[in-house]
Amino acid sequence: MTLEEGLDLINNYKKGLEKFLETLPEQSVQLGSEMIQVLTLNSKNQIANLEAIEKSLLRPAKS
């Protein structure tokens, strides 16, 4: 896998999580507020982790 392919994968996964976060409030009646909070926090943490991975991949290698 190339760096570009890896970054595309990360970007697609982040977009999926962001879309999930957008639609999550619509599920509140079925899931309940506690579950919504847990899923929201978990998704935001995953996005932050993906952004950290992305940064480290883009950082120039130390010689």
Side-chain angles (χ1 to χ4, degrees):
M1 176 182 296
T2 67
L3 174 60
E4 288 177 5
E5 291 170 333
L7 292 173
D8 282 344
L9 263 172
I10 289 171
N11 195 32
N12 288 337
Y13 188 46
K14 279 182 8 185
K15 284 180 184 177
L17 285 168
E18 289 164 352
K19 183 68 175 170
F20 176 73
L21 284 171
E22 286 175 19
T23 60
L24 200 52
E26 300 167 10
Q27 310 301 319
S28 62
V29 173
Q30 293 94 335
L31 296 174
S33 63
E34 253 184 67
M35 183 58 84
I36 295 294
Q37 288 175 342
V38 169
L39 291 170
T40 299
L41 184 59
N42 187 27
S43 295
K44 288 181 179 181
N45 285 338
Q46 287 184 41
I47 290 171
N49 290 339
L50 289 168
E51 288 172 347
I53 292 168
E54 205 171 20
K55 274 185 189 177
S56 69
L57 289 173
L58 291 170
R59 192 175 306 130
K62 295 180 181 175
S63 302

